[in-house]
Amino acid sequence: MPTLAELLTAPGLTGLHHLAGPLDAAPVTGVRLETRADRIPAVPPGTVAILLSAVPGHLLDVAVRDAAAAGATALVLAGDTRDGAPPSRTPDAYPGVVPGAYLPAAPAPARALDDAARATLRSLADRGRVAVLEATGDLAALVVAVDRAVAGDAADALARVAAAAQRLPGDAGDPERAAATAARALGVPVERRVPGPGETGASAPGPDGEIALAAPDRPGHAGTAARCVLGMAVLAAAGGGHGDLPVRSRGHLLAELLAAPQERTAGLAARGRALGLPVDGHHTALRVEAPGLPPADRYHLLDSLTGQLLTRLRAPGDGTHWHAALVDDALVLLGTRAATPGPEARRATLALARRTLDTLGAHHPEAGLRGGLGAAHRGPLGIRTSAREARAALLTPPDGTSVSAHDAAGLDRMLLEWYASDTAHEATTELLAPVLKLGQDKAEPLLRTLQAYLDHNNSPARAADLLHLHRNAVGARIRRITDLTGADLTDPDTRLALQLACRARLSGMRA
């Protein structure tokens, strides 16, 4: 027999809202519809007792005590809610609930009770080991759904299979999401592995090898439902049917779009649309490499970091959808938006990418993780263009940051041509000479601080944010530079000369 926590995962029970008490105190043996509260003491042990009539607040404690004394698993009250947005709930708050399982949100506020009455309700329910729930919608349909779930009959199995079939197509190519959807439909844990003793499972060939899912084995119709749902889930995880394996997942399709000849782009784009890859949006590519490792170790590390990178790059509310592909011993992450990202969005993406790589790089210092960020481009060909720019950004000498951005304006090229002239070379060297005499280890932080300060209109606060320093540290460095060089940073010509000199020097150009 299922516990109440397991029962709540069954299809058709979205009208039940948890108010108080444990969800896993005892197995549910049946359901009973009662017209009056004074009949609660007669319900059999293990029953989910559903009351047709509303219980006044001052008599609610009596009803809960009677349900506990009768050994009922749950007392379901007729709905009495107010308008309001339901608060979010997570299964972690309820022992016995499968991680990822769907739990209907409790209305806010739940029932017309004051704080003291709600506290009393929770105390009585916990002490009596009886769950108190509220029902909204069609009570007759609710009774049928509870009875079906308790019986675990063919109707319950069919309802669970139908619920999985409705949701799994949206998980094509994503094994983790497919496993989570299967777990929600079945009400039991589903793991991505080969099943062991006492478990049931399914497997299918995927783009990276065999994909297997495992769940606890259950008797009768519940076991049949598990086998059906797991069979559908592995097919969804593999990206569809048994045909074209190289493009069975979004990641492998993205890899093909990046590596295949340009004449194949149109056909691959059509497949991408079928798999849910937003190929027609505005794309920004982030290429991540691990040059400190041998090629074999490099591939395995980047593969293991893919999930973390995708999770960390998903900034809530920014409208960017991220996908990943391993290409040429590098990891290419593609951020796609429906509209063209403006300069602020590009700066935010660059800052987020740097924070992400800084964090992961600190855990893998031997890898020397570096990233290159391309500009935003539209459509299937835009994917390839941004990826090429991201690769080109990685070819520039490291500037101390973990992610280099593509020079969309061509400023580095213009600086190179300018700095190649003898006059500019001598002027720059003379201007920065007092700082350069300190040696590279001491000069470089000062030049970076000066560049950030000048790039942000002489703002110590904005330079401090960019360099992850306290603004007082920025101020101290700027004072030292002006003391060494005697430069007047209030003079526009001096500021421009220093700004160009810093950029040229920090772009890796030799003095």
Side-chain angles (χ1 to χ4, degrees), residues 156-369:
D156 177 63
L158 185 59
R160 292 180 184 273
V161 171
Q166 184 177 15
R167 299 180 185 131
L168 281 170
D171 301 331
D174 192 329
E176 301 305 326
R177 284 179 54 190
T181 296
R184 284 194 297 271
L186 295 172
V188 297
V190 175
E191 299 180 8
R192 188 182 171 187
R193 57 176 173 80
V194 176
E199 295 181 322
T200 187
S203 63
D208 296 317
E210 198 80 1
I211 295 176
L213 297 177
D217 196 9
R218 305 177 76 182
H221 297 296
T224 302
R227 289 188 290 275
C228 291
V229 171
L230 292 178
M232 290 189 294
V234 292
L235 286 178
H242 292 279
D244 195 5
L245 287 179
V247 292
R248 200 177 291 175
S249 72
R250 296 183 184 94
H252 275 253
L253 175 62
L254 177 57
E256 281 219 280
L257 271 169
L258 293 171
Q262 184 169 324
E263 58 267 21
R264 292 189 56 198
T265 301
L268 292 172
R271 294 181 182 179
R273 296 182 189 101
L275 276 179
L277 186 68
V279 295
D280 299 307
H282 298 261
H283 313 289
T284 302
L286 171 64
R287 183 183 178 94
V288 178
E289 297 183 354
L293 297 176
D297 296 339
R298 190 181 307 161
Y299 180 91
H300 289 301
L301 175 65
L302 293 174
D303 188 30
S304 69
L305 292 179
T306 301
Q308 295 183 59
L309 282 161
L310 288 173
T311 299
R312 292 174 181 271
L313 288 170
R314 286 171 181 147
D318 76 344
T320 304
H321 299 279
W322 288 92
H323 298 85
L326 285 161
V327 182
D328 301 330
D329 291 333
L331 178 63
V332 177
L333 300 123
L334 192 72
T336 304
R337 288 171 173 257
T340 306
E344 286 298 326
R346 176 171 168 76
R347 283 192 287 270
T349 300
L350 178 60
L352 178 59
R354 283 174 172 166
R355 289 196 301 271
T356 299
L357 235 59
D358 286 342
T359 301
L360 296 179
H363 292 93
H364 303 277
E366 76 287 354
L369 291 176

Side-chain angles (χ1 to χ4, degrees), residues 58-94:
H58 67 284
L59 295 179
L60 190 54
D61 57 341
V62 176
V64 175
R65 286 193 183 96
D66 287 345
T73 302
L75 175 64
V76 180
L77 307 171
D80 182 15
T81 61
R82 307 283 182 86
D83 290 337
S88 61
R89 299 166 66 218
T90 63
D92 301 337
Y94 302 96

Side-chain angles (χ1 to χ4, degrees), residues 378-397:
R378 185 178 182 181
L381 292 177
I383 295 174
R384 300 163 68 96
T385 302
S386 188
R388 282 198 300 269
E389 292 175 350
R391 186 170 190 167
L394 273 166
L395 298 177
T396 61

